[in-house]
Amino acid sequence: MRRLFWLSVGAGLGIYGMRRASRLARSLTPQNVAVRAGDRLRMFTHDVRLGMQDREEQLREAIELDRVVPEPREDSPRRVLRARYAIIDDEKDGH
């Protein structure tokens, strides 16, 4: 009786192991591996795009880029700013 019990346990484990091994072998075919890699790449790019959008919103908020610029008033004086340019002579500069 004991031998019959252990024989049936061993046969059951053998069948279970063979089914698991065949499922694993089917999942590791080149086509299935490529499909899974493509899916993971799509999920990764989606996550990266969401992260980029979140960061862009944070940066826009930080520099107040989306704020509406107020219209200039007519009674306020306007100034014209002029830039000054300095020409540096390379011989005198020491380079």
Side-chain angles (χ1 to χ4, degrees):
M1 194 68 171
R2 279 178 131 180
R3 288 183 184 178
L4 184 60
F5 171 74
W6 288 113
L7 179 68
S8 60
V9 168
L13 287 175
I15 291 171
Y16 175 76
M18 289 298 292
R19 286 185 180 171
R20 294 285 293 182
S22 67
R23 266 192 225 143
L24 179 64
R26 275 186 264 135
S27 70
L28 292 178
T29 61
Q31 294 86 6
N32 286 340
V33 171
V35 167
R36 281 191 292 169
D39 290 343
R40 289 184 179 167
L41 183 62
R42 267 188 238 101
M43 288 189 311
F44 174 73
T45 55
H46 178 71
D47 291 343
V48 168
R49 285 185 182 139
L50 287 178
M52 286 172 32
Q53 289 172 353
D54 290 343
R55 184 63 179 150
E56 185 176 357
E57 288 174 9
Q58 291 171 359
L59 292 173
R60 284 178 174 271
E61 184 178 313
I63 62 172
E64 299 175 346
L65 186 63
D66 296 330
R67 188 180 68 180
V68 176
V69 179
E71 293 292 325
R73 295 182 306 185
E74 294 297 326
D75 60 340
S76 65
R78 301 183 82 181
R79 296 185 325 174
V80 176
L81 301 177
R82 297 185 185 180
R84 293 185 182 179
Y85 296 99
I87 299 174
I88 299 173
D89 191 8
D90 287 337
E91 294 173 5
K92 293 180 183 177
D93 194 28
H95 293 312

